Amino acid sequence: MTPAPAIEIQGLARSFGKVEALRGLDLRVPQGSLAGLVGLNGAGKTTTLRILLGQIRPGAGEASVFGLPCAPEPSSVEIRRRTAALPEQKALFPYMTVAEVLRFTRGFYPGWRDDRAQRLLTDFELDPKRKTCTLSKGQLTKLHLVLCLSRGAELMLLDEPTDGLDPVATEIALQAMVSLVAETGATILLCSHRLNEVEQIADHLCLIHQGRALLDESLDGLKARARRYLFVFDDAAEKAEPALVRFGRLRREGRALSLVAFRDGHALEAEARALGAVSVETAPLTLRELFLEMVKP
Amino acid sequence: MNPLWLKSWCECRYRYLLVWLLSGVVLFDLALFSLVKRTADRADLGEWVVLFYLGAVVPIAALVLAGSGVNTQTSWGMAPGLHPSTGFLLSMPVRRSALLWTRASMGAALLLSWVVATHLILIQADSALGVPGWSLPLSTLPAVAVLALLYFGVATWLTVLFDELWSSIIALTMFGMAAGYSLAGGPGWANVITYMRLENGYRQVPQTVFCLALTAGFLGLAQYSIRKKEY
């Protein structure tokens, strides 16, 4: 039996004035997964996270976390009790020290892990006595990560969690996320423009474009299915275009046709050969290539 | 300690100090007048100091100590827009009304403690500085405190609706108009200074009940607005 999803979104829509941020978004993030949420700027990622946290209300559709609806305040408070969120803007209360912010956050979470917080503070070389307003952008991100990873939360909504981090801190952060999911079975929704990091740690991918989900599936499965094909023809390739375009987006370069397809690899190859292709090459796609292929105009 | 009380205290502590600096100005003026003016002139000038205290310092103190609890306040400044830490605060498992009421309770408690202390100091200053006949009697303290709370309620509601910069501008405009009307001797219930000084036959109990009800109304509006507003 498939476990209930940690996050389930159906037909979610939201506008800000005349700007449609979400236009019928459907998403399903499995429990215990480390899901990457990717998309262009303005695709609707942050709006989705804010709706999940009950900060803004959806215009239409439904969003639920742990089966609880996000919009009503009582269930939203319960969702936030079980969730750790790293917001897009990394500032913290400017009048508090690092230790005070930790104390403030700990007060809301009975499952707070002091040992993990101390270890991460040491790993990230954060001074507990420093005021948060004196921290650099990267240090604020580190502190947010300490706050998120120490809460004992069942779900983490992380918006650009490596923003401003140096490579060493990035590696520590990514490893900490992977360890947390492995140790506790928590779910992480990682919203990021750094596709190499998402590819490195995520096992599920949600790709949003113009307020709708283009992809929502296992990353491994997707990478196994998605391939780039290069067909070379003896004569002009344009005759084969109408027949092959149904398999995916085509690009023609002289006698060659390049195509990214997500299904029917064998059928595609057979059809291309029947159309006169003399050579067929296939290659796997990186997440970056896949992303560009899906969203590039 | 409840984390929200910690946050409220952190936001209020320097503001409380600022309010005390404001009352220091009043006491400094009193001392100055008592030293440089002839006894005959002291009463008039002292009267103006008290009017300045009632008409300007009390509303400003209420405004400085007010806050919605949602938008993070800095210690001194009034930055336009929402503070970038608001997203972090709103991700905490707490109702918005709890944010509002914790911050409002802290601000109101500090405001009341300041009103009481300042009032008592002004009464003592009267005799200590030898300025006759203008001080605020102890009997007016409840009226001053209740009106300070009303100013506080209005300012709290405004900080929910607008960011701190705009709410301060609007509140100062409103309070300034009320003070101007009162100083010009405007009749009726809107003359806040005659109420605070219990002049013109004001009956304290009904007026106090009216002011408290109005304060509760503004705080209720603030709670309604904070639940409806999207941050």
Side-chain angles (χ1 to χ4, degrees), chain A residues 21-283:
Chain A
L22 297 175
R23 310 176 197 194
L25 178 71
D26 295 310
L27 278 184
R28 195 180 154 91
V29 177
Q31 274 195 28
S33 66
L34 207 165
L37 179 64
V38 299
L40 296 173
N41 292 327
K45 304 183 296 293
T46 299
T47 301
T48 305
L49 295 188
R50 292 182 68 200
I51 288 175
L52 291 174
L53 288 167
Q55 291 175 4
I56 55 175
R57 287 176 284 277
E62 289 173 6
S64 63
V65 176
F66 310 123
L68 298 165
C70 296
E73 196 176 34
S75 62
S76 174
V77 171
E78 177 58 23
I79 288 168
R80 280 177 269 148
R81 202 184 310 283
R82 298 163 66 180
T83 302
L86 195 159
E88 183 183 30
Q89 293 187 302
K90 306 294 187 287
L92 288 158
F93 309 132
Y95 40 75
M96 283 191 188
T97 63
V98 169
E100 282 172 333
V101 172
L102 287 169
R103 189 148 57 96
F104 173 84
T105 311
R106 185 177 58 195
F108 292 107
Y109 296 93
W112 178 267
R113 292 279 305 272
D114 255 330
D115 56 332
R116 187 174 286 147
Q118 289 307 318
R119 195 179 68 236
L120 285 167
L121 278 182
T122 308
D123 288 349
F124 285 139
E125 298 175 337
L126 287 170
D127 179 1
K129 292 178 189 151
R130 274 186 71 177
K131 286 242 168 135
T132 64
C133 59
T134 67
L135 298 178
S136 69
K137 181 182 173 187
Q139 287 171 321
L140 277 171
T141 303
K142 289 175 181 177
L143 180 51
H144 266 290
L145 282 165
V146 176
L147 295 170
C148 280
L149 297 168
S150 307
R151 286 183 209 183
E154 296 168 53
L155 170 67
M156 263 165 266
L157 304 174
L158 309 178
D159 200 345
E160 299 293 348
T162 56
D163 197 16
L165 295 188
D166 58 62
V168 173
T170 299
E171 201 54 34
I172 294 171
L174 296 178
Q175 288 309 316
M177 288 179 216
V178 173
S179 303
L180 195 81
V181 171
E183 285 169 22
T184 67
T187 307
I188 293 182
L189 183 61
L190 169 68
C191 177
S192 178
H193 288 299
R194 299 186 180 197
L195 299 175
N196 59 330
E197 293 171 9
V198 174
E199 188 169 20
Q200 184 184 337
I201 64 169
D203 55 24
H204 190 93
L205 184 76
C206 306
L207 194 161
I208 302 184
H209 187 54
Q210 295 176 342
R212 292 191 186 94
L214 294 186
L215 293 171
D216 177 17
E217 61 183 284
S218 145
L219 187 55
D220 284 344
L222 178 67
K223 289 180 76 174
R225 284 194 304 115
R227 301 188 79 78
R228 184 183 296 283
Y229 293 83
L230 184 70
F231 306 113
V232 181
F233 293 84
D234 260 344
D235 49 3
E238 60 260 37
K239 281 188 283 184
E241 271 190 64
L244 294 179
V245 74
R246 67 190 163 93
F247 289 96
R249 184 185 283 187
L250 272 174
R251 285 210 184 86
R252 179 158 52 85
E253 292 164 17
R255 293 190 298 118
L257 281 179
S258 164
L259 182 146
V260 169
F262 292 89
R263 58 190 169 84
D264 293 340
H266 295 297
L268 170 62
E269 202 171 326
E271 182 135 1
R273 289 200 183 276
L275 290 165
V278 291
S279 156
V280 178
E281 289 175 25
T282 66

Side-chain angles (χ1 to χ4, degrees), chain A residues 14 16 50 53-58 73-74 76-78 80-83 85 87 89-96 100-101 103-109 131 144 147 151, chain B residues 1-8 10-11 13-14 70 72-75 82-99 226-231:
Chain A
R14 172 67 209 222
F16 296 97
R50 292 182 68 200
L53 288 167
Q55 291 175 4
I56 55 175
R57 287 176 284 277
E73 196 176 34
S76 174
V77 171
E78 177 58 23
R80 280 177 269 148
R81 202 184 310 283
R82 298 163 66 180
T83 302
Q89 293 187 302
K90 306 294 187 287
L92 288 158
F93 309 132
Y95 40 75
M96 283 191 188
E100 282 172 333
V101 172
R103 189 148 57 96
F104 173 84
T105 311
R106 185 177 58 195
F108 292 107
Y109 296 93
K131 286 242 168 135
H144 266 290
L147 295 170
R151 286 183 209 183
Chain B
M1 189 185 198
N2 181 316
L4 292 182
W5 288 109
L6 170 70
K7 175 182 176 291
S8 295
C10 288
E11 285 188 0
R13 55 191 172 184
Y14 293 113
V70 171
T72 301
Q73 292 174 310
T74 52
S75 296
L82 281 176
H83 191 272
S85 66
T86 307
F88 168 71
L89 176 64
L90 291 174
S91 73
M92 294 291 125
V94 62
R95 285 171 179 265
R96 290 182 177 191
S97 53
L99 297 175
I226 213 168
R227 287 181 62 191
K228 292 289 173 195
K229 192 166 177 177
E230 296 193 313
Y231 290 94

